Amino acid sequence: MNLIYKNEKTLFGIMLAVSLLIWAALIISTVGMALVYGLIFFISYCFAQSALVSYLKGTAVQITPAQFPDLYQRIETCCQRLDLAPVPDAYLLQMGGVFNAFATRFLGRHFIVLYSEVVDALEERPDAINFYIGHEIGHIKRNHLRWSALLAPATFLPLLGAAYARAREYTCDRYGFHACDDLKSAQVGLAALAAGGKRWRQMSAGQYAAQAQQSTGFWMSFHELVGDYPWLVKRMAVVRGLAHGNEVSQPGRHGLAYLLALLVPRLGVGGAGSVLAVIALIGVLGAVAVPAYEEYMTKARMTQAIAVGHDATAAVERYFYANGRGPATLEQAGYAMADPSHAVQDIAVDPGNGVVRVFPSDLNYRGKAIAFTPSVDENKRVVWQCAGEEIPASVLPPECRN
């Protein structure tokens, strides 16, 4: 059995290509500042992950050969079956009735967290716990956690980000299925997710999987297309098919749902938490990208202003060679300002020393000047030195930073 869902590798390739293009565009457009902001984001991410891992170590119960040896043996067996080494750190966490499990990664070390509600609900069918363990091992084996930062730019794209997330879940369900001794145990694990800790015993997995045929409507199609997880009924249909040695063909989606989903960036399935995450991302982008863009535009306008200054100094220099002295005004030197980009508010020459001052139109630097100071070298040639007067060197080209 192929443990990798049919579309995951293709979607990963598209995600990687798109993300690399976005990262390259960010680095070029921000003149490399995106790398600095990426480092800041990575540090922030490490702090967030450290908070999660600290919470696990300070709250959850670590699963060891001495503490819950039965669960430890299951995790170790699943790792051997799925060829994962070393065995990740594992914890049992009480989540107030929530049925789930998750894997995380911090500073190169992997962690698996089982919710106690799942373990308690499946006490009669402990092999079904292997499904949860194997599912999380799938995330580790497929490097889903390792690639997440690099793929981040593409994850928010409509359709693509959510499609890749769903493909990963289908892949990890296959890992969970392969980790079970009994081919029906994966169905039991999904049944517990669907019906809860007690009612799963009375639930018909076959009838539940048949509900997948109801997912072809417009709204069910749309909400799945913008979500990170396939409908649970579809996941049940897949693992039932695997138990019978079949690959299940899922029912098609409504065509118009794709058009609407194309207008919705990926928010995930975290409800208010996902919305808050998007709002936070917008805030970070605003705090990072807007200042970077403003600085980029300021540098561009300063470069244009300096180009105007070069034209003026050339006129002053010609006048000096022709008359042996500097002009009283730029008009006397035959200079007429050409500034189609409106980068310069004013430009003037000092008749006493020949210094040409360019006053940028940038509102942040009104009244401040870029000074071109002339001197004569040993060959009687005029040499110009450019520098900002109360204008930071950081927004000027290298030629004007001395």
Side-chain angles (χ1 to χ4, degrees), residues 26 29-31 33-34 37 285-301 362 364:
L26 285 173
S29 63
T30 60
V31 198
M33 288 301 294
Y37 298 132
L285 289 176
V288 171
V290 172
Y293 176 75
E294 289 180 347
E295 182 178 3
Y296 170 78
M297 292 303 298
T298 296
K299 289 180 177 179
R301 287 192 291 268
D362 192 298
N364 295 318

Side-chain angles (χ1 to χ4, degrees), residues 93 117 321 352:
L93 181 64
E117 289 77 7
Y321 290 142

Side-chain angles (χ1 to χ4, degrees), residues 19-71:
S19 294
L20 290 175
L21 287 174
I22 294 175
W23 280 122
L26 285 173
I27 293 171
I28 294 172
S29 63
T30 60
V31 198
M33 288 301 294
L35 294 175
V36 177
Y37 298 132
L39 177 61
I40 295 173
F41 178 81
F42 174 75
I43 294 173
S44 301
Y45 169 79
C46 286
F47 270 96
Q49 283 297 97
S50 70
L52 172 60
V53 173
S54 297
Y55 174 77
L56 291 176
K57 291 182 176 180
T59 306
V61 183
Q62 186 171 11
I63 300 171
T64 66
Q67 187 84 279
F68 306 130
D70 58 323
L71 290 178

Side-chain angles (χ1 to χ4, degrees), residues 11 25 40 49 51 90 107 114 121 128-129 163 173 217-218 225 231 236 238 245 307 317 332 340 348 369 397-398 400:
L11 290 169
I40 295 173
Q49 283 297 97
L107 298 180
L114 300 177
I129 299 172
D173 278 354
F218 174 81
L225 287 170
W231 293 122
M236 178 66 84
V238 169
E317 189 173 328
Q332 186 180 35
C400 296

Side-chain angles (χ1 to χ4, degrees), residues 25-263:
L26 285 173
I27 293 171
I28 294 172
S29 63
T30 60
V31 198
M33 288 301 294
L35 294 175
V36 177
Y37 298 132
L39 177 61
I40 295 173
F41 178 81
F42 174 75
I43 294 173
S44 301
Y45 169 79
C46 286
F47 270 96
Q49 283 297 97
S50 70
L52 172 60
V53 173
S54 297
Y55 174 77
L56 291 176
K57 291 182 176 180
T59 306
V61 183
Q62 186 171 11
I63 300 171
T64 66
Q67 187 84 279
F68 306 130
D70 58 323
L71 290 178
Y72 182 83
Q73 182 61 46
R74 288 196 173 280
I75 295 170
E76 193 173 52
T77 300
C78 289
C79 287
Q80 292 173 357
R81 182 171 296 174
L82 297 173
D83 193 27
L84 177 67
V87 176
D89 291 347
Y91 289 85
L92 185 68
L93 181 64
Q94 193 280 124
M95 286 296 290
V98 177
F99 278 66
N100 211 339
F102 68 88
T104 190
R105 185 171 185 267
F106 180 63
L107 298 180
R109 189 163 186 83
H110 290 102
F111 299 82
I112 289 178
V113 181
L114 300 177
Y115 289 8
S116 60
E117 289 77 7
V118 170
V119 175
D120 292 342
L122 299 175
E123 186 174 4
E124 300 174 10
R125 293 287 298 273
D127 186 49
I129 299 172
N130 289 18
F131 173 75
Y132 291 89
I133 297 170
H135 183 101
E136 303 311 325
I137 289 176
H139 284 300
I140 298 172
K141 282 288 293 183
R142 291 295 300 152
N143 289 316
H144 293 158
L145 307 173
R146 187 188 302 271
W147 286 99
S148 58
L150 182 60
L151 300 180
T155 58
F156 292 95
L157 295 180
L159 292 179
L160 179 60
Y164 177 60
R166 293 193 302 273
R168 295 190 313 179
E169 293 305 312
Y170 276 127
T171 289
C172 292
D173 278 354
R174 289 169 174 266
Y175 275 86
F177 175 84
H178 191 63
C180 297
D181 294 318
D182 186 338
L183 296 183
K184 294 184 178 179
S185 292
Q187 299 173 55
V188 174
L190 289 174
L193 280 180
K198 295 181 179 180
R199 286 287 178 175
W200 70 262
R201 297 171 180 83
Q202 289 83 44
M203 193 188 93
S204 168
Q207 293 183 33
Y208 184 65
Q211 289 179 214
Q213 300 303 317
Q214 302 175 22
S215 65
T216 58
F218 174 81
W219 288 114
M220 285 196 70
S221 298
F222 167 74
H223 287 293
E224 186 180 30
L225 287 170
V226 299
D228 282 5
Y229 288 84
W231 293 122
L232 197 58
V233 291
K234 289 186 174 182
R235 294 171 65 185
M236 178 66 84
V238 169
V239 296
R240 279 181 60 80
L242 293 176
H244 293 89
N246 301 321
E247 290 287 347
V248 173
S249 296
Q250 298 287 15
R253 299 190 182 98
H254 198 288
L256 292 178
Y258 285 93
L259 296 178
L260 182 59
L262 191 59
L263 305 177

